[in-house]
Amino acid sequence: MMDAKASDRRRTNRTALPEMLVIRHGETQWNVEGRLQGHGDSPLTLNGVRQTFAVAATLHAQLPDLAAARLWVSPLGRARQTASILAGAWDIPFDRFQVEPALAERSFGLWEGLTLAEVEANFPQDFAHHARDPWRYAIAGGETRAAFTSRLENWLATLEPSMSHVLVVHSGCLRALRGIVTGADRETILAYREPQTTALHLAEGRERLIDIEPALLGLFGCHGPGRTVAI
């Protein structure tokens, strides 16, 4: 089995990755309730819709040439809803976004739909095992973080590196892609936290977080930059 350092070196040595703009979906009903979504789903809240408009306005001046870029979206409803709003705001057809199964969020199996407090109460041993080895522990019916990362690495290897790519995805995907491109170690990746209004520009092994101005969030009626998730 490849150890953590070898895996980190493998990510660092990847030099043919394309330029990417990675966008997290807006706030959902389960986000508000603190529930794990994974392959489960819940729709955007009104606040999530407003967040997406604020992100669209901020990114409009920073987007790659959309006529030449490839646009991708997770198959899950919350990401597709976000992409639909972005498409409308940017005046492009929604079907420019190609649905990519590899961009689905990490599966949390039996934990999906539960809060972390409920997981700890209902699955105390599993919760403790995951806390001790969050990279390799397999939640019942779910996906290890290591397998999830490999899924994204394999998909990235299929992309045309000379093109720009815009991705509408999930917090887990954003963290994994960020780690893959920058070669971050596992401890750093596990410490990533990002609000719903996060957009991340990744290119040439470097990252740039694109902040949404508080005044713009206020203009669109958003309740702040949004929630982060702890897993």
Side-chain angles (χ1 to χ4, degrees):
M1 179 179 295
M2 181 176 292
D3 64 24
K5 290 183 179 178
S7 180
D8 292 338
R9 285 195 299 272
R10 183 181 66 176
R11 290 197 297 271
T12 303
N13 290 336
R14 292 193 60 167
T15 58
L17 294 175
E19 177 184 6
M20 290 181 284
L21 182 63
V22 187
I23 302 166
R24 185 184 174 194
H25 65 76
E27 178 189 85
T28 70
Q29 299 291 345
W30 279 7
N31 286 149
V32 172
E33 297 172 12
R35 301 190 179 280
L36 296 174
Q37 296 188 105
H39 285 191
D41 214 0
S42 68
L44 300 188
T45 62
L46 176 59
N47 189 49
V49 172
R50 291 170 172 168
Q51 288 171 343
T52 305
F53 276 115
V55 170
T58 296
L59 295 181
H60 189 267
Q62 305 190 44
L63 284 170
D65 181 5
L66 284 177
R70 295 290 302 274
L71 279 61
W72 306 90
V73 62
S74 157
L76 297 172
R78 57 195 185 273
R80 297 185 65 178
Q81 189 179 358
T82 299
S84 178
I85 296 168
L86 293 172
W90 295 334
D91 194 25
I92 58 174
F94 172 65
D95 62 12
R96 284 283 314 282
F97 281 94
Q98 182 170 331
V99 176
E100 175 48 60
L103 294 178
E105 181 61 293
R106 176 189 173 197
S107 171
F108 292 107
L110 293 181
W111 295 9
E112 291 179 1
L114 302 177
T115 67
L116 286 178
E118 289 169 341
V119 170
E120 187 173 15
N122 293 321
F123 306 99
Q125 291 185 334
D126 292 336
F127 185 85
H129 286 317
H130 186 274
R132 286 195 295 270
D133 190 0
W135 204 268
R136 293 177 296 182
Y137 183 73
I139 299 164
E143 190 175 19
T144 67
R145 196 183 300 268
F148 171 58
T149 302
S150 293
R151 163 160 54 96
L152 289 169
E153 285 183 321
N154 291 336
W155 178 73
L156 286 177
T158 70
L159 295 183
E160 172 54 56
S162 65
M163 297 183 68
S164 297
H165 300 265
V166 178
L167 287 58
V168 180
V169 294
H170 311 269
S171 60
C173 295
L174 188 146
R175 293 171 185 177
L177 291 166
R178 185 180 181 185
I180 292 165
V181 172
T182 65
D185 60 39
R186 291 177 177 180
E187 289 73 20
T188 299
I189 294 169
L190 290 171
Y192 287 151
R193 296 291 181 269
E194 61 292 308
Q196 259 107 19
T197 48
T198 295
L200 182 67
H201 180 253
L202 297 170
E204 299 178 345
R206 296 190 298 272
E207 63 179 27
R208 179 171 63 91
L209 285 167
I210 301 171
D211 293 324
I212 312 299
E213 292 294 332
L216 185 64
L217 290 170
L219 180 66
F220 280 97
C222 302
H223 307 311
R227 293 169 169 80
T228 65
V229 295
I231 188 172

